[in-house]
Every structure is written in structure tokens, then in C-alpha cells.
Amino acid sequence: MILTSSDATALHEQKVALREEMRAMRDGLDERAARMAARSFFLHASSLPGAKQATCVAAYEAFGKELSVRLLLEWWLSRGVRVLLPKVTGKGRMVFIECFAPLDAALFAGKWGLREPVGEPVPIERADLVLVPGTGFDHHGGRLGMGGGFYDRALWSRRLHPSPVRYVGVGYDFQLLDRHVPMAPFDQRLDAVCTPRTWVRCR
């Protein structure tokens, strides 16, 4: 499917509007609600078979009011699971680097205030699971990111190099929408979405 210039403009405007709406809801959470959601997410996600069986995972360090997955990362590390976290290397580009416990000692201030690891990149294809943050998700694997294209490029690689890696969107319950997330033809869909209370298999 090829978009006309007017279609592309309309799609961009839809994404911007939905991104602003969802970011306002997320950033409006108080600290207590964010902590409770992170705890509920850990209890839910750690009970899922995929989380228990994983031997290598790629995830993220929460920025701002993103849903924190720190408890899950520490749980994986305590079980001997390899944990990979992203490091920005350029515009719209990032690599994943293995981190070790304690995580606070493994992360350093990077671009835009992000806390990033230091070390040699590890191909994302080595992970069993990739936890993908976003501002909104739908039940068909649609994802609305922050607009930088970092994860879209990582997801795009699966077209060129098919692998059994599962990409799982992660967010608050209100970020899993009943309506479709606007998607361009080159946007990649997720395999599943996980929130503090819900698990949706998308593919």
C-alpha cells in the first residue's frame, strides 16, 4: 500500500493527536499510581510462561512516567537471565547491550537524560523476548511510539532476518486502546501487548 501525500499528512496528524492525548494521560499519573502499576505489572508479567522460560530478554529503562519494568528486570537477573538494554547511537538508531546486577551501577547518563549501559552491542535476535515501550497500543499489535523511530527500525529487521523473537508492547492499562492505532504501511506490528492487568496475543 502506497500513501498519497494527503493520506500521509492525515496519518501523521492522527498520530500526533493520539500521541499527545496518551502522553497527557500518562504524565498526569501521580507517583503512587505509577509505583502501584509497576508492581502490578511485575506480578502479572512474571507469572506468564514466556517470562518464566526466557533465557535472554531485551527491555528498556523507563523514562519519565513510562511504565517501569525494573522489578521484572531484577527478577530476571536473579534467575540468571541475560538482560539487554538500549543505548542510543544516532538519530533513530540504537543498539542493545547486556547489563548485570545491580542495574543502577550498570547504567549511566546518556543522550536526552536517558540512563544507558556501556559495552559491546548484542544482536537483538539473541533475545527470546523484547519489551517495547510506547504511548499507545491496540489489540491487533498496532503501536504508537514516541516519534523517534527507534523501535520501528528494530522491528523492521525481522522482515529482513526472520527469527522467533517475540516483541511485546508494554504500557499502562489505559494505553491498550479499544480503537485502532494509526499505522503507516512501514510500521511494524507487535506479537503481544502486556499491561498490569491484561495480556493480548496479537499475532
Side-chain angles (χ1 to χ4, degrees):
M1 176 182 176
I2 299 177
L3 296 180
T4 65
S5 59
S6 60
D7 288 339
T9 298
L11 180 63
H12 174 72
E13 291 174 349
Q14 292 171 18
K15 286 187 174 185
V16 170
L18 181 57
R19 185 177 291 118
E20 290 179 350
E21 174 189 345
M22 300 307 296
R23 287 184 64 178
M25 293 177 64
R26 186 188 68 189
D27 295 345
L29 287 173
D30 60 40
E31 293 295 337
R32 182 173 180 274
R35 287 196 303 270
M36 290 179 63
R39 179 65 179 172
S40 295
F41 174 79
F42 165 66
L43 294 174
H44 177 210
S46 61
S47 69
L48 297 172
K52 292 179 177 178
Q53 297 165 3
T55 60
C56 181
V57 297
Y60 65 93
E61 175 74 355
F63 180 71
K65 288 290 183 67
E66 283 182 333
L67 179 64
S68 174
V69 296
R70 174 62 75 91
L71 292 174
L72 188 60
L73 301 183
E74 292 174 342
W75 177 74
W76 270 322
L77 286 170
S78 72
R79 294 165 61 91
V81 176
R82 297 181 70 190
V83 170
L84 315 179
L85 293 179
K87 177 181 177 61
V88 175
T89 58
K91 185 177 180 180
R93 299 188 180 282
M94 64 184 180
V95 295
F96 284 85
I97 296 172
E98 184 170 3
C99 295
F100 303 91
L103 280 176
D104 282 331
L107 300 173
F108 303 87
K111 294 184 178 180
W112 304 298
L114 297 170
R115 286 171 55 78
E116 300 177 330
V118 175
E120 293 299 317
V122 177
I124 197 172
E125 290 79 16
R126 294 186 183 176
D128 305 304
L129 294 174
V130 180
L131 302 188
V132 183
T135 56
F137 307 92
D138 65 32
H139 288 71
H140 303 281
R143 170 185 174 269
L144 182 67
M146 294 296 291
F150 293 98
Y151 283 92
D152 288 323
R153 286 178 173 83
L155 287 162
W156 182 260
S157 68
R158 74 192 326 186
R159 284 193 174 186
L160 303 176
H161 308 286
S163 74
V165 180
R166 287 189 293 168
Y167 291 81
V168 180
V170 172
Y172 297 97
D173 292 310
F174 64 80
Q175 290 180 286
L176 179 56
L177 307 174
D178 289 329
R179 61 187 189 274
H180 286 281
V181 168
M183 298 277 286
F186 53 80
D187 290 334
Q188 301 300 296
R189 294 189 180 274
L190 302 165
D191 300 300
V193 178
C194 189
T195 75
R197 294 188 298 179
T198 304
W199 166 265
V200 176
R201 188 184 300 276
C202 304
R203 298 170 67 91

